[in-house]
Amino acid sequence: AVTPLSPQQILSSVESQAPSPAGPSGCGPVPVPMSPCPHVPTAPSPAGPSACDDSKTNLIVNYLPQSMSQEELRSLFGSLGDIESCKLVRDKVTGQSLGYGFVNYVEAGDADRAIGALNGLKLQTKTIKVSYARPSSASIRDANLYVSGLPRAMGQQEMEQLFSQYGRIITSRILVDQVTGVSRGVGFIRFDKRVEAEEAVRGLHGQKPLGAAEPITVKFANTPGQKSGGALLSLCPGARRYGTLHPPPQRFRLDNLLNVAYGVKRFSPLAIEAVPALAGVGLGTPGAGWCIFVYNLAPEADESVLWQLFGPFGAVTNVKVIRDFATNKCKGFGFVTMTNYEEAAVAIASLNGYRLGERVLQVSFKTTKQHKA
DNA sequence: TCGGATT
């Protein structure tokens, strides 16, 4: 039972925020699936060409803060006019906000004013995007592509230029390293139409961009919500069978940090997002985190070892054992991604030099890929 | 002895 914030409360909370850490696209790091408008007449519409035309009243709102509820969305947009319907899109399984929603006004003029008034509004750590929703249609579904192997020097504009020959691009993004801002060589392209995306896969998958050393891969993106498996294991890292290992006596906790630094009385997602230094490190920020290199794993080592070693130190979002392709044996190293810097640092300090059977682990933050001399 | 990557 959360009391919805009034628009004034939401807006006033904006004033105390630091500027949004916008990426190259000028937008926050939330997932931005563009989905068809959920406002679809279920009954045959009455005669008349404009009877079911929402194109001038129905808005899609992207980059909503994770914590914003449908009621808050309605409250914010309701301040600009009467709302016919309002829908925050949530994950089917978890009920978590997917960070976007739809607002359908009664009057087209209000929708137009809402774009002018609310597009670009900073809410907590996000900069919301307000635009007309495209009509719901099967042809715009599954039009989102995942691209990897991009040259590090390629920017968003350049990537769009490469793909735009296949159709109208709705959104694009290149993922960047959270510290250096350097491209991670992977990105997303959403086309207006699925057939355009299909053509782009046919035309660009395995191709080398002009001047590039490596070919890119182009495939349909995973639907948001499917995470890399095993995350739940980190919640029950009970195993101690690798010897005496002492998890940090003093766990670093977000709520403690907040209490100390900001005098916040209790833990809440809203409070996390209100703290600039912690922005984007909460739950639901896939792809972010601190990557840790683990060396001297046994050939038989598997992912569960890494979960068990690192889980006690805090939030682990991903683990990976690197294996030889032919033998499927571990090549002696692996990677662990942890959400919080402090927890990662404690894990490294605790596990570097840790004896695992006959082996002594070397654990450090991952370095940048070394290139040959 | 530092991958592949999924907003």
Side-chain angles (χ1 to χ4, degrees), chain A residues 175-369:
Chain A
L175 304 187
V176 299
D177 182 277
Q178 66 174 27
V179 175
T180 65
V182 170
S183 167
R184 293 163 66 195
V186 301
F188 296 88
I189 295 272
R190 178 178 293 277
F191 280 99
D192 183 39
K193 295 291 193 300
R194 177 172 57 248
V195 291
E196 298 169 340
E198 288 166 353
E199 281 304 311
V201 171
R202 272 193 282 273
L204 291 176
H205 177 66
Q207 298 290 311
K208 283 189 209 166
L210 207 57
E214 301 297 328
I216 60 174
T217 68
V218 182
K219 54 205 256 195
F220 282 88
N222 289 341
T223 57
Q226 43 183 303
K227 310 253 189 236
S228 56
L232 291 179
L233 284 173
S234 66
L235 297 175
C236 44
R240 293 288 181 274
R241 62 186 142 105
Y242 294 101
T244 49
L245 171 65
H246 305 291
Q250 201 172 7
R251 287 279 296 262
F252 286 77
R253 289 178 50 103
L254 281 179
D255 52 353
N256 289 340
L257 289 172
L258 289 165
N259 287 337
V260 169
Y262 292 87
V264 175
K265 288 294 174 284
R266 61 191 173 79
F267 179 87
S268 82
L270 214 66
I272 290 179
E273 300 210 357
V275 181
L278 301 175
V281 299
L283 302 172
T285 310
W290 300 90
C291 193
I292 298 167
F293 174 64
V294 186
Y295 178 70
N296 215 11
L297 296 170
E300 303 76 32
D302 69 350
E303 272 73 9
S304 71
V305 174
L306 295 176
W307 285 112
Q308 289 157 6
L309 283 170
F310 287 81
F313 294 90
V316 175
T317 58
N318 186 256
V319 302
K320 180 86 171 180
V321 167
I322 304 304
R323 296 179 170 85
D324 179 87
F325 185 81
T327 67
N328 211 33
K329 295 286 187 188
C330 175
K331 289 165 83 170
F333 63 97
F335 298 92
V336 174
T337 303
M338 296 188 69
T339 302
N340 304 305
Y341 176 83
E342 294 291 356
E343 292 173 347
V346 174
I348 290 170
S350 305
L351 293 171
N352 186 39
Y354 177 66
R355 181 166 163 169
L356 184 59
E358 303 298 279
R359 296 161 175 273
V360 176
L361 296 184
Q362 288 174 241
V363 183
S364 62
F365 283 113
K366 180 188 181 302
T367 65
T368 58
K369 188 176 173 180

Side-chain angles (χ1 to χ4, degrees), chain A residues 61-143:
Chain A
V61 187
N62 280 296
Y63 306 103
L64 290 169
Q66 175 58 223
S67 62
M68 194 172 195
S69 68
Q70 181 164 297
E71 290 65 40
E72 290 166 350
L73 181 67
R74 173 182 284 274
S75 178
L76 176 61
F77 282 78
S79 63
L80 285 124
D82 290 343
I83 291 176
E84 191 273 338
S85 62
C86 171
K87 168 104 177 166
L88 179 70
V89 179
R90 297 190 179 88
D91 182 279
K92 272 198 193 72
V93 177
T94 67
Q96 294 270 67
S97 167
L98 292 181
Y100 71 103
F102 297 90
V103 175
N104 194 15
Y105 283 98
V106 174
E107 299 294 337
D110 292 336
D112 190 60
R113 286 195 305 122
I115 293 176
L118 299 177
N119 185 40
L121 179 70
K122 288 184 168 55
L123 289 181
Q124 297 165 16
T125 63
K126 306 295 199 292
T127 300
I128 69 170
K129 177 183 174 186
V130 185
S131 53
Y132 288 110
R134 292 174 294 158
S136 176
S137 156
S139 68
I140 70 173
R141 287 169 45 181
D142 303 317

Side-chain angles (χ1 to χ4, degrees), chain A residues 22-30 32 63 156-157 160 171-174 176:
Chain A
S25 66
C27 300
V30 266
V32 186
Y63 306 103
Q156 188 187 15
Q157 307 295 329
E160 284 206 7
T171 58
S172 73
R173 168 160 299 177
I174 288 178
V176 299

